[in-house]
């Protein structure tokens, strides 16, 4: 079966070295056509009917028109291994997409390993370039298909390479360009998906004058790669990933914030066509050009003046708008701006992908042959507008669509792109929810059959093997119960507490034993690892694990036997932990309580039943634990969590209000924190280098600056030297009104960054610290149904107890770190999505209900201020002057954080209470937004 | 890096369970008592055996045969054509490995007060040199007519991209994954050599080892054929 053919391969960098590699040519590579009479058809993927044309695609088609290939109109395609190889060398992202297409069972894409087939392998001829040789290989393979399958089947080569097409025609191969093939399909909207070469001369008068004579250079040229490399070497340029401010697209950062080597880039021309996420080379500007953002308002650029939207009040620095610390809070006025600014001289790696958004409203153009040029506005404000061409403008104007970026040349203000697909109508709840999910890269596809095949058959019951398993303790006799939000179906934790004869308490936290069903390396595990977390939108939940697991097999529901992983402490009545043990167990929960029910039981002094007694005992222990935690310096931060009441039929929000936190919530939270801490200690003891932990970095002084500034303006001194000091000063921050303390806490919370997962081997022990909880060690153990981090921690804990062996990923620190990175990414995106969903529902709620309410000023701007609406947990701008106009009437007193009228008749200061009116307006058709005005 | 494509082909076109092409030739060095050339793909090794002969160093005389082995690499065996120093750590180690493996197969008690010298040299290196050396030595010993319990054959197997791969070539070998070199006595079904210098979970090691054993057995069959062919030719020449 082996045919040996050694051949000479090219050289390595620097030295010329002859390399000989074997290359085996085979006769067991099949054509993939199910109707073939010669080949083994067991792995065939192509269309079963010989009458469908088989397409062979050229490399340039895959590289440039991948969106088109992903469309369902494109099918029955042979992808040659040489094409895959070339694509892989040129663009990894596209390679992953074409690979996904090839393994997608609903598509008929077949990979033909032409490079290893003895009849289709071609040897490089002397004088032939590699490119020519590969083109020839593609033609030979196409020809082979035609000969192999006979004249009854049409084999068509799709190529955009003119030379390749010409040669193909000479050799008697049917070949067409993508354009002509798409045209022949007679589906006009497919044409929108086509990527047009940048050189195409189009008349873009409606959008922007692009005629060569009128085209002026807007952006400076990108430096050639060689110059960038040498510049980086000599230290004139700095390399880094560009991060565009989520709330101000004209401001971006390069470099690491934490180390303080961050360079700010102001304005589109300095950003020089770079996108968020691109790896760029930056040149520092001379110091006299370092801009200080004293103009407080958003740095609008002529035609692109964007208003700040009303949004959900941030709950951490990661989602809060970045504020540049201003001079003056400490009293000293510094004339020289000290934040280095720069401009981008080159782009090292693009991070272009496709974006969700809508077309900018425009009149229908008359008589342009159906082709219209439109501007696309991304939902993600960090992305500039995109120019696209469409034949279905009328259709698209009121739709949410996805558009991919193709190119951005120096002469155009905006990059150009092409239409990919339509999501739905703007403002429609389902469409907007889908936009939220797509924007945050959340996988909502149903679980594949391979994943579902990993589930145990239903109905699932605890088996006698489980009970007799020596690693599993039978805890069914314990009075276990769960306390969760009402209507919770994926119950991953339950508790028990009973008094011991010696006066101490035995307290147990029982967590769903997910790893008993999710085994490492299975498709189910891979999928969960990719998803990372369940995502909670207002009206739906996107699960990390399939429903049978989350709602039935793993869920610790009442009155059924379930497998659990238990942490059991012996505690003194003073809540001191005397001993901790960990065991896999079988439990039978006797009640699934909601927070409200649990609270009501504890409050009702007539009740004396065992569950209520246990609840009261636990509550008293939890209170002591909580107190001790706060004494240690844990921050009790506040965030404004909003709750909707949703109409069961229309899924529209009926009522909106703040989420009420009861003692029962805090009780459960306290025991979960304790379990997480205990588990963190246990796993780190056994696996000091490969444990997955969670840390919360100490906020830098710079991050806390906005808080200090606001506090100083109202005469409050906050000590931020340590979390303990900050916690104490927050406790002492009492103002005239009861809400003042909460407001300060809310402002403090949004200055903190979020906690992150990390691999213990990547950092040194002092860095493991969790600032917010004031704990030296912390991890996530208690929610394995909805967080993958907990699944990993379960495996670590089981291995540390000798119950199972450690899966092989843990031996690979790099892989573990990349898992931690993915979890952080997914976690953050899940939160963004949740918040965006709340914002969406807030908008829908207020659409029919203009409301007057009370708000607090949280930030002063040059032309108005930001208010926080406590009742609805949202934040938004109130303009005192019309946007775009000067602000002559008003001036800002930075020291005191006040905005005053020139004649002194009126002034607003930070934290002041104002009465506002909230109403949904539509400044442009189909673009509703919530507007706040002063009454 | 993708060492096995989703289509199940390795970089050189083999499938995971396939060996490279093997070729062997007996009697390459006519001066020696026994000699052979063994090729596994582009790895090419020559072995020459001298003995059994009288022990040179009288202090080493014992009632078992003394087996000595010297391994070296030709300067032209790799692309850089660097001078290969003799007696460096790697070659001393491989010499030892080959000697111990061969010693386990030779019936040394039948040859008291004698010594057997095995010289192996790598002519061209492309991964799996250890295995090729052992296979060449086996053939050369058989050619020299030295009594053996069984043929010793060797083959390597590795684990890359979550797939067990038989007979790693140089590119796969330099991937840094686990590389198990196994030597067996195929008829007796005994393992005489097992080397691996990285971590591998025990259950995976078992499947990788099983694959290597299959490889060794295939090589043993081939070697047996070669020997049979060689014997036939000898018979023919003698006019039997
Ligand atoms: Zn066929």
């Amino acid at each position: 079966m082996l045919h040996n053919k050694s051949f000479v391969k090219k050289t390595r960098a620097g030295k010329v070295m002859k390399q000989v590699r074997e290359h085996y040519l085979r006769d067991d590579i099949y054509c993939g056509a199910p109707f073939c009479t010669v080949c083994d058809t067991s792995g065939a993927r192509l269309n079963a009917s010989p009458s469908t044309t088989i397409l062979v695609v050229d490399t340039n088609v895959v590289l440039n028109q991948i969106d088109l290939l992903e469309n369902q109109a494109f099918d029955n395609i042979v992808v040659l291994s040489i094409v895959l190889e070339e694509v892989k060398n040129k663009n990894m992202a596209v390679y992953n997409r074409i690979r996904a297409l090839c393994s997608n069972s609903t598509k008929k894409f077949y990979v033909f390993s032409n490079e290893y087939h003895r009849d289709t392998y071609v040897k490089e001829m002397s004088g032939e370039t590699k490119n020519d040789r590969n083109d020839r290989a593609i033609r030979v393979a196409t020809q082979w298909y035609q000969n192999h399958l006979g004249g009854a089947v049409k084999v068509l080569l799709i190529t955009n390479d003119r030379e390749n097409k010409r040669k193909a025609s000479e050799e008697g191969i049917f070949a067409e360009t993508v354009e002509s093939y798409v045209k022949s399909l007679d589906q006009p909207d497919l044409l929108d998906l086509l990527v047009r070469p940048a050189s195409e001369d189009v008349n873009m008068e409606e959008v922007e004058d692009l005629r060569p004579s009128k085209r002026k250079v807007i952006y400076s040229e990108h430096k050639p790669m060689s110059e960038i490399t040498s510049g980086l070497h000599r230290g004139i340029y700095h390399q880094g990933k560009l991060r565009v401010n989520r709330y101000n697209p004209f401001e971006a950062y390069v470099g690491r914030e934490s180390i303080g080597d961050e360079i700010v880039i102001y304005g589109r021309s300095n950003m020089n066509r770079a996108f968020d996420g691109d790896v760029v080379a930056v040149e520092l500007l001379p110091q006299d050009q370092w801009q200080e953002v004293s103009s407080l308002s958003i740095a609008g650029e002529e035609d692109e003046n964007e208003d700040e939207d009303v949004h959900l009040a941030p709950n951490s620095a990661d989602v809060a708008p970045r504020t540049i610390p201003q001079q003056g809070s400490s009293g000293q006025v510094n004339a020289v701006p000290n934040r280095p600014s720069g401009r981008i001289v080159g782009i090292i790696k693009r991070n272009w992908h496709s974006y969700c958004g809508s077309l900018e409203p425009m009149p229908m153009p008359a008589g342009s042959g159906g082709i219209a040029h439109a501007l696309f506005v991304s939902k993600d404000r960090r992305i500039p507008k995109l120019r696209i061409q469409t034949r279905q403008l009328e259709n698209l104007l009121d739709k949410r669509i996805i558009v991919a970026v193709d190119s951005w040349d120096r002469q155009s203000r905006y990059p150009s792109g092409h239409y990919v697909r339509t999501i739905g109508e703007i403002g429609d709840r389902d469409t907007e929810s889908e936009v939220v999910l797509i924007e945050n890269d959340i996988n909502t596809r149903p679980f594949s059959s391979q994943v579902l095949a990993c589930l145990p058959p239903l109905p699932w019951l605890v088996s006698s093997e489980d009970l007799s398993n020596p690693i599993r303790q039978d805890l069914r006799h314990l009075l276990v119960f769960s306390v969760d939000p009402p209507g919770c179906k994926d119950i991953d934790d339950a508790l028990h507490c009973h008094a011991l004869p010696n006066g101490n308490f035995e307290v147990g936290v029982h967590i769903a034993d997910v790893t008993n069903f999710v085994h490492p390396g299975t498709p189910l595990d891979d999928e969960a690892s990719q998803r990372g977390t369940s995502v909670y939108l207002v009206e739906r939940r996107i699960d990390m694990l399939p429903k049978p697991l989350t709602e039935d097999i793993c869920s610790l529901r009442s009155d059924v036997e379930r497998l659990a992983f238990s942490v059991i402490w012996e505690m003194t009545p003073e809540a001191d932990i005397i001993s901790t043990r960990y065991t896999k167990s079988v439990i039978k929960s006797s009640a699934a309580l909601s927070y409200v029910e649990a609270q009501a039981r504890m409050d009702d002094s007539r009740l004396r039943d065992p569950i209520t007694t246990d609840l009261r005992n636990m509550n008293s222990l939890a209170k002591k634990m909580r107190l001790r935690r706060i004494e240690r310096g844990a921050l009790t931060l506040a965030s404004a969590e909003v709750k909707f009441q949703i109409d069961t039929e229309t899924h529209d929000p009926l009522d909106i209000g703040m989420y009420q936190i009861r003692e029962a919530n805090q009780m459960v939270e306290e025991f979960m924190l304790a379990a997480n801490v205990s588990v963190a200690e246990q796993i780190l003891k056994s696996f000091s280098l490969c444990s997955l932990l969670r840390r919360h970095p100490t906020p830098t002084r710079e991050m806390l600056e906005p808080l200090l500034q606001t506090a100083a303006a109202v005469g409050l001194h906050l000590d931020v030297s340590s979390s303990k000091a900050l916690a104490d000063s927050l406790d002492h921050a009492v103002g005239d009104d009861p809400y003042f303390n909460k407001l300060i806490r809310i402002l403090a919370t949004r200055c903190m960054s979020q906690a992150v997962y990390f691999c213990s081997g990547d950092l040194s022990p002092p860095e493991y610290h969790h600032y917010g909880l004031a704990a030296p060690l912390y991890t996530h153990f208690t929610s394995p149904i909805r967080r993958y981090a907990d699944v990993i921690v379960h495996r670590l804990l089981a291995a540390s107890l000798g119950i199972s062996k450690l899966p092989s990923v843990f031996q690979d620190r790099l892989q573990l770190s990349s898992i931690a990175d993915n979890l952080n990414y997914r976690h953050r995106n899940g939160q963004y999505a949740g918040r965006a969903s709340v914002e969406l529902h807030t908008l829908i709620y207020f659409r029919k209900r203009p409301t007057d309410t009370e708000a607090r000023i949280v930030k002063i701007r040059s032309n108005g201020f930001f208010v926080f609406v406590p009742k609805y947990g949202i934040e938004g701008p109130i303009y005192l002057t019309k946007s775009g106009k000067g602000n002559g009437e008003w001036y800002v007193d930075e020291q005191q954080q006040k905005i005053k009228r020139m004649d002194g008749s009126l002034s607003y200061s930070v934290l002041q209470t104002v009465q506002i009116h909230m109403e949904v307006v539509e400044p442009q058709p189909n673009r509703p937004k919530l507007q706040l005005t002063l009454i | 890096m993708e060492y096995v494509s989703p289509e199940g082909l390795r970089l050189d076109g083999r499938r995971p369970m396939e060996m490279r092409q093997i070729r062997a030739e007996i009697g390459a060095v006519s001066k020696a008592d026994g000699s052979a050339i063994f090729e596994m793909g582009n790895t090419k090794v020559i072995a020459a055996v001298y003995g059994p002969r009288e022990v040179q160093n009288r202090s080493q005389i014992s009632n078992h045969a003394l087996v000595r082995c010297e391994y070296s690499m030709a300067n032209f065996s790799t692309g850089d054509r660097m001078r290969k120093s003799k007696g460096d750590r790697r070659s001393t180690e491989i010499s030892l490995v080959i000697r111990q493996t061969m010693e386990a197969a030779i019936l040394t008690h039948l040859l008291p007060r004698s010594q057997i010298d095995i010289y192996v040299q790598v002519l061209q290196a492309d991964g799996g040199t250890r295995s090729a050396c052992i296979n060449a030595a086996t053939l050369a010993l058989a050619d020299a007519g030295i009594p053996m319990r069984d043929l010793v054959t060797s083959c390597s197997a590795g684990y890359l991209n979550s797939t067990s791969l038989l007979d790693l070539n140089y590119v796969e070998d330099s991937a840094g994954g686990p590389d198990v070199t196994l030597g067996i006595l195929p008829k007796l079904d005994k393992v005489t050599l097992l080397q691996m210098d990285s971590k591998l979970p025990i259950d995976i090691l078992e499947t990788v080892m099983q694959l290597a054993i299959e490889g060794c057995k295939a090589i043993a069959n081939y070697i047996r054929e070669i020997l049979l062919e060689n014997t036939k030719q000898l018979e023919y020449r003698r006019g039997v």
Side-chain angles (χ1 to χ4, degrees), chain A residues 6 61 80 112 180 212 242 293 373 507 626 635 655 660 727 765 769 785 801 804 819:
Chain A
S6 304
V61 174
L80 303 176
F112 180 69
S180 58
L242 189 76
V293 206
H373 304 283
V507 183
R626 189 173 163 80
L635 296 172
D655 195 12
Q660 200 187 344
H769 192 74
I785 296 183
L801 301 173
S804 58
I819 290 178

Side-chain angles (χ1 to χ4, degrees), chain A residues 205-279:
Chain A
E205 233 166 335
E206 293 88 348
V207 176
E208 191 185 325
D209 207 330
L210 279 183
R211 280 167 297 179
S213 56
K214 298 262 181 79
R215 287 179 77 164
K216 57 174 202 275
V217 172
I218 296 174
Y219 298 105
S220 46
E221 202 165 359
H222 287 155
K223 297 261 190 299
M225 204 55 216
S226 54
E227 206 172 307
I228 290 175
T229 319
S230 79
L232 287 171
H233 256 292
R234 285 185 295 152
I236 343 174
Y237 300 152
H238 305 266
Q239 180 178 343
K241 202 178 229 182
L242 189 76
R243 286 170 293 126
V244 177
N245 189 332
R246 245 170 208 272
Y247 295 86
N248 179 1
F250 305 106
E251 187 177 292
Y253 318 93
V254 170
R256 273 175 301 172
E257 188 185 349
S258 50
I259 298 180
D261 60 356
E262 198 176 55
I263 301 167
V264 197
I265 292 144
Y266 296 112
R268 282 272 151 79
S269 62
N270 281 337
M271 277 161 71
N272 197 359
R273 295 172 279 156
F275 269 55
D276 180 70
D278 288 353
V279 178

Side-chain angles (χ1 to χ4, degrees), chain A residues 31 36 39 148:
Chain A
C31 66
C36 179
C39 296
H148 177 78

